[in-house]
Amino acid sequence: MTSRKFTADDVNQMSWEEFGTLMDKLVDKIQDFCNSNNISFDAVAPILRNGAVPGTVIANKLQFV
């Protein structure tokens, strides 16, 4: 296996505003899915590191406490 060095060109830099917009769209899709399939979630379990921030945002927007 060869290792690869990552550079700044490999990073998708986005603003917090863009991140928020994408999170709003994702939460809307989750809510639409739940409504159309008559299901609900009791919790959000994010995968740590990269998933912690979006998972927390989703949980907050879906009002999981």
PDB file of all heavy atoms in Angstrom, residues 44-63:
ATOM      1  N   VAL A  44     -29.594  10.615  17.687  1.00  0.00           N
ATOM      2  CA  VAL A  44     -28.622  10.726  16.607  1.00  0.00           C
ATOM      3  C   VAL A  44     -27.298  10.244  17.181  1.00  0.00           C
ATOM      4  O   VAL A  44     -26.870  10.710  18.235  1.00  0.00           O
ATOM      5  CB  VAL A  44     -28.479  12.186  16.117  1.00  0.00           C
ATOM      6  CG1 VAL A  44     -27.358  12.311  15.106  1.00  0.00           C
ATOM      7  CG2 VAL A  44     -29.789  12.668  15.516  1.00  0.00           C
ATOM      8  N   ALA A  45     -26.664   9.299  16.521  1.00  0.00           N
ATOM      9  CA  ALA A  45     -25.390   8.758  16.992  1.00  0.00           C
ATOM     10  C   ALA A  45     -24.315   9.068  15.955  1.00  0.00           C
ATOM     11  O   ALA A  45     -24.090   8.291  15.031  1.00  0.00           O
ATOM     12  CB  ALA A  45     -25.499   7.254  17.218  1.00  0.00           C
ATOM     13  N   PRO A  46     -23.654  10.220  16.080  1.00  0.00           N
ATOM     14  CA  PRO A  46     -22.649  10.592  15.086  1.00  0.00           C
ATOM     15  C   PRO A  46     -21.383   9.752  15.218  1.00  0.00           C
ATOM     16  O   PRO A  46     -21.022   9.324  16.320  1.00  0.00           O
ATOM     17  CB  PRO A  46     -22.357  12.051  15.402  1.00  0.00           C
ATOM     18  CG  PRO A  46     -22.668  12.188  16.844  1.00  0.00           C
ATOM     19  CD  PRO A  46     -23.788  11.232  17.125  1.00  0.00           C
ATOM     20  N   ILE A  47     -20.752   9.521  14.103  1.00  0.00           N
ATOM     21  CA  ILE A  47     -19.441   8.874  14.105  1.00  0.00           C
ATOM     22  C   ILE A  47     -18.440   9.965  14.453  1.00  0.00           C
ATOM     23  O   ILE A  47     -18.473  11.056  13.886  1.00  0.00           O
ATOM     24  CB  ILE A  47     -19.127   8.248  12.731  1.00  0.00           C
ATOM     25  CG1 ILE A  47     -20.162   7.159  12.446  1.00  0.00           C
ATOM     26  CG2 ILE A  47     -17.710   7.699  12.702  1.00  0.00           C
ATOM     27  CD1 ILE A  47     -20.064   6.586  11.053  1.00  0.00           C
ATOM     28  N   LEU A  48     -17.590   9.686  15.417  1.00  0.00           N
ATOM     29  CA  LEU A  48     -16.696  10.714  15.937  1.00  0.00           C
ATOM     30  C   LEU A  48     -15.772  11.288  14.875  1.00  0.00           C
ATOM     31  O   LEU A  48     -15.661  10.786  13.769  1.00  0.00           O
ATOM     32  CB  LEU A  48     -15.890  10.158  17.099  1.00  0.00           C
ATOM     33  CG  LEU A  48     -16.739   9.795  18.309  1.00  0.00           C
ATOM     34  CD1 LEU A  48     -15.858   9.258  19.425  1.00  0.00           C
ATOM     35  CD2 LEU A  48     -17.538  10.971  18.818  1.00  0.00           C
ATOM     36  N   ARG A  49     -15.106  12.322  15.226  1.00  0.00           N
ATOM     37  CA  ARG A  49     -14.235  13.162  14.413  1.00  0.00           C
ATOM     38  C   ARG A  49     -15.072  13.964  13.433  1.00  0.00           C
ATOM     39  O   ARG A  49     -15.697  14.920  13.800  1.00  0.00           O
ATOM     40  CB  ARG A  49     -13.143  12.362  13.731  1.00  0.00           C
ATOM     41  CG  ARG A  49     -12.181  11.729  14.695  1.00  0.00           C
ATOM     42  CD  ARG A  49     -11.023  11.171  13.944  1.00  0.00           C
ATOM     43  NE  ARG A  49     -10.467  10.064  14.706  1.00  0.00           N
ATOM     44  CZ  ARG A  49      -9.389   9.433  14.378  1.00  0.00           C
ATOM     45  NH1 ARG A  49      -8.737   9.763  13.302  1.00  0.00           N
ATOM     46  NH2 ARG A  49      -8.947   8.439  15.120  1.00  0.00           N
ATOM     47  N   ASN A  50     -15.143  13.546  12.192  1.00  0.00           N
ATOM     48  CA  ASN A  50     -15.843  14.334  11.181  1.00  0.00           C
ATOM     49  C   ASN A  50     -17.351  14.349  11.360  1.00  0.00           C
ATOM     50  O   ASN A  50     -18.014  15.257  10.886  1.00  0.00           O
ATOM     51  CB  ASN A  50     -15.515  13.817   9.775  1.00  0.00           C
ATOM     52  CG  ASN A  50     -14.071  14.041   9.412  1.00  0.00           C
ATOM     53  OD1 ASN A  50     -13.411  14.888   9.998  1.00  0.00           O
ATOM     54  ND2 ASN A  50     -13.575  13.289   8.462  1.00  0.00           N
ATOM     55  N   GLY A  51     -17.914  13.377  12.035  1.00  0.00           N
ATOM     56  CA  GLY A  51     -19.361  13.309  12.187  1.00  0.00           C
ATOM     57  C   GLY A  51     -19.904  13.999  13.411  1.00  0.00           C
ATOM     58  O   GLY A  51     -21.109  14.186  13.539  1.00  0.00           O
ATOM     59  N   ALA A  52     -19.039  14.379  14.340  1.00  0.00           N
ATOM     60  CA  ALA A  52     -19.510  14.946  15.603  1.00  0.00           C
ATOM     61  C   ALA A  52     -20.223  16.282  15.402  1.00  0.00           C
ATOM     62  O   ALA A  52     -21.295  16.507  15.967  1.00  0.00           O
ATOM     63  CB  ALA A  52     -18.348  15.102  16.583  1.00  0.00           C
ATOM     64  N   VAL A  53     -19.656  17.171  14.613  1.00  0.00           N
ATOM     65  CA  VAL A  53     -20.262  18.493  14.422  1.00  0.00           C
ATOM     66  C   VAL A  53     -21.579  18.382  13.654  1.00  0.00           C
ATOM     67  O   VAL A  53     -22.613  18.865  14.134  1.00  0.00           O
ATOM     68  CB  VAL A  53     -19.281  19.480  13.752  1.00  0.00           C
ATOM     69  CG1 VAL A  53     -19.972  20.786  13.408  1.00  0.00           C
ATOM     70  CG2 VAL A  53     -18.090  19.729  14.663  1.00  0.00           C
ATOM     71  N   PRO A  54     -21.613  17.744  12.471  1.00  0.00           N
ATOM     72  CA  PRO A  54     -22.902  17.652  11.784  1.00  0.00           C
ATOM     73  C   PRO A  54     -23.927  16.839  12.577  1.00  0.00           C
ATOM     74  O   PRO A  54     -25.113  17.167  12.577  1.00  0.00           O
ATOM     75  CB  PRO A  54     -22.592  16.994  10.440  1.00  0.00           C
ATOM     76  CG  PRO A  54     -21.190  16.555  10.495  1.00  0.00           C
ATOM     77  CD  PRO A  54     -20.524  17.218  11.640  1.00  0.00           C
ATOM     78  N   GLY A  55     -23.496  15.808  13.284  1.00  0.00           N
ATOM     79  CA  GLY A  55     -24.422  15.022  14.101  1.00  0.00           C
ATOM     80  C   GLY A  55     -25.054  15.849  15.199  1.00  0.00           C
ATOM     81  O   GLY A  55     -26.252  15.740  15.473  1.00  0.00           O
ATOM     82  N   THR A  56     -24.256  16.711  15.822  1.00  0.00           N
ATOM     83  CA  THR A  56     -24.771  17.588  16.867  1.00  0.00           C
ATOM     84  C   THR A  56     -25.748  18.609  16.284  1.00  0.00           C
ATOM     85  O   THR A  56     -26.800  18.886  16.874  1.00  0.00           O
ATOM     86  CB  THR A  56     -23.613  18.306  17.579  1.00  0.00           C
ATOM     87  OG1 THR A  56     -22.731  17.312  18.130  1.00  0.00           O
ATOM     88  CG2 THR A  56     -24.109  19.207  18.683  1.00  0.00           C
ATOM     89  N   VAL A  57     -25.410  19.147  15.119  1.00  0.00           N
ATOM     90  CA  VAL A  57     -26.308  20.110  14.459  1.00  0.00           C
ATOM     91  C   VAL A  57     -27.644  19.439  14.128  1.00  0.00           C
ATOM     92  O   VAL A  57     -28.716  19.998  14.386  1.00  0.00           O
ATOM     93  CB  VAL A  57     -25.655  20.702  13.187  1.00  0.00           C
ATOM     94  CG1 VAL A  57     -26.653  21.521  12.384  1.00  0.00           C
ATOM     95  CG2 VAL A  57     -24.440  21.540  13.558  1.00  0.00           C
ATOM     96  N   ILE A  58     -27.594  18.243  13.567  1.00  0.00           N
ATOM     97  CA  ILE A  58     -28.819  17.517  13.214  1.00  0.00           C
ATOM     98  C   ILE A  58     -29.650  17.244  14.467  1.00  0.00           C
ATOM     99  O   ILE A  58     -30.864  17.466  14.479  1.00  0.00           O
ATOM    100  CB  ILE A  58     -28.489  16.208  12.469  1.00  0.00           C
ATOM    101  CG1 ILE A  58     -27.901  16.519  11.097  1.00  0.00           C
ATOM    102  CG2 ILE A  58     -29.723  15.322  12.345  1.00  0.00           C
ATOM    103  CD1 ILE A  58     -27.257  15.333  10.416  1.00  0.00           C
ATOM    104  N   ALA A  59     -29.006  16.780  15.525  1.00  0.00           N
ATOM    105  CA  ALA A  59     -29.722  16.488  16.780  1.00  0.00           C
ATOM    106  C   ALA A  59     -30.379  17.751  17.320  1.00  0.00           C
ATOM    107  O   ALA A  59     -31.533  17.713  17.764  1.00  0.00           O
ATOM    108  CB  ALA A  59     -28.772  15.893  17.798  1.00  0.00           C
ATOM    109  N   ASN A  60     -29.667  18.864  17.290  1.00  0.00           N
ATOM    110  CA  ASN A  60     -30.239  20.134  17.773  1.00  0.00           C
ATOM    111  C   ASN A  60     -31.413  20.578  16.920  1.00  0.00           C
ATOM    112  O   ASN A  60     -32.442  21.013  17.440  1.00  0.00           O
ATOM    113  CB  ASN A  60     -29.174  21.221  17.818  1.00  0.00           C
ATOM    114  CG  ASN A  60     -28.198  21.028  18.952  1.00  0.00           C
ATOM    115  OD1 ASN A  60     -28.514  20.410  19.964  1.00  0.00           O
ATOM    116  ND2 ASN A  60     -27.003  21.571  18.793  1.00  0.00           N
ATOM    117  N   LYS A  61     -31.284  20.481  15.604  1.00  0.00           N
ATOM    118  CA  LYS A  61     -32.351  20.930  14.721  1.00  0.00           C
ATOM    119  C   LYS A  61     -33.583  20.027  14.805  1.00  0.00           C
ATOM    120  O   LYS A  61     -34.698  20.475  14.620  1.00  0.00           O
ATOM    121  CB  LYS A  61     -31.858  21.031  13.280  1.00  0.00           C
ATOM    122  CG  LYS A  61     -30.924  22.215  13.071  1.00  0.00           C
ATOM    123  CD  LYS A  61     -30.567  22.381  11.622  1.00  0.00           C
ATOM    124  CE  LYS A  61     -29.688  23.568  11.389  1.00  0.00           C
ATOM    125  NZ  LYS A  61     -30.376  24.840  11.532  1.00  0.00           N
ATOM    126  N   LEU A  62     -33.367  18.733  15.105  1.00  0.00           N
ATOM    127  CA  LEU A  62     -34.478  17.813  15.288  1.00  0.00           C
ATOM    128  C   LEU A  62     -34.972  17.830  16.730  1.00  0.00           C
ATOM    129  O   LEU A  62     -35.843  17.055  17.097  1.00  0.00           O
ATOM    130  CB  LEU A  62     -34.083  16.392  14.880  1.00  0.00           C
ATOM    131  CG  LEU A  62     -33.796  16.195  13.393  1.00  0.00           C
ATOM    132  CD1 LEU A  62     -33.298  14.777  13.119  1.00  0.00           C
ATOM    133  CD2 LEU A  62     -35.023  16.494  12.548  1.00  0.00           C
ATOM    134  N   GLN A  63     -34.397  18.695  17.542  1.00  0.00           N
ATOM    135  CA  GLN A  63     -34.762  18.925  18.930  1.00  0.00           C
ATOM    136  C   GLN A  63     -34.606  17.701  19.810  1.00  0.00           C
ATOM    137  O   GLN A  63     -35.432  17.422  20.668  1.00  0.00           O
ATOM    138  CB  GLN A  63     -36.183  19.483  19.015  1.00  0.00           C
ATOM    139  CG  GLN A  63     -36.305  20.810  18.300  1.00  0.00           C
ATOM    140  CD  GLN A  63     -37.701  21.375  18.335  1.00  0.00           C
ATOM    141  OE1 GLN A  63     -38.623  20.774  18.843  1.00  0.00           O
ATOM    142  NE2 GLN A  63     -37.850  22.565  17.780  1.00  0.00           N
TER     143      GLN A  63
END
